[in-house]
Amino acid sequence: MSSVSLAGNIPSAAALRARSEDRTAWLLAAPAIVLLLLFVLLPVAAVIFLGFTDFELGYGKFRFVGFENYAHIISDRTFRRSLWNTSVYTAIVAPVSILLGLGVALLIEGEGRARGFFRTVYFLPVASLIVAMATVWQYIFHPTIGPLNALLSLVGIPGPNWLGASNTVLYSLSIIGIWQSVGFNMVLFLAGLTAIPRELYAAAHVDGAKSALDRFFLVTWPMLGPTTLFVVTISITNAVKVFETVKMLTDGGPNKASEVLLFTIYQEGFVYLRVGYASAMTVVFLAILVVLMLLQYRVLDRRVHYT
């Protein structure tokens, strides 16, 4: 009787193998879990904590102020201005870069001989150093020696001060943002186009879709649903996170006309040293990103066709 119970308590070979695989899986995932904890979760927790304090860099003591920082954000004109500028920038850059990326991807997909060359050319802005390219764009937009205004003067149009005037600076930065994003979106759409079975186009042709436009709306566009959802999410997130070009080209000026959310957070935290207030702004910024992503998936995911 005891031997039977003893045999029942001995784990089987399959159970031992499963436990060994579990341990191996946890060991392999441990570095990623530790990095996620140290560089994502703990910083987010620290930011949320500091958002309820009046902590300033250089001062050892701080006190809890509750929702005082968040109440101040609501009445902060600079924050409202930067939120508006970020919204305008995103509303321009995200849709235009998505449409241009899709258009370029379709053109390259239809090009047989120089496909690799055009992929490289359009992807160069993504791989380029932002500091170096900002210098190039500063020269292009220069009001007196810039080639853009020189071209406009040839047709009798007086060129504006692209980066130095309040009514043009945000649109100039949007042009740079579109230029940066088109190549990345193009690569993503090319991957989606490659995954579409060629048989679907043949079937669509048999069903009466004779023109390229008919085949696009009948086959290409529905099959690009998952790719488009991902591209929209990435494009909006990257546009909302704009910072480098603003810092290097305009420093938020003139008259805060190009000040965006991340630049305002940077100013509060690293220039004015009001880390508590900057942390509260960061929490609001993260909340905006989360809401945008949820809305995108709620609206677009229902229309996506997964194969």
Side-chain angles (χ1 to χ4, degrees), residues 194-217:
T194 305
I196 299 176
R198 300 296 102 179
E199 296 84 1
L200 294 179
Y201 291 105
H205 183 76
V206 171
D207 288 342
K210 304 298 183 183
S211 68
L213 192 63
D214 290 336
R215 291 192 294 272
F216 173 79
F217 284 109

Side-chain angles (χ1 to χ4, degrees), residues 79-89 170 259 261:
F79 180 81
R80 292 203 303 268
R81 181 67 181 271
S82 65
L83 180 61
W84 170 254
N85 290 341
T86 305
S87 302
V88 172
Y89 179 90
L170 199 57
E259 186 162 329
L261 280 177

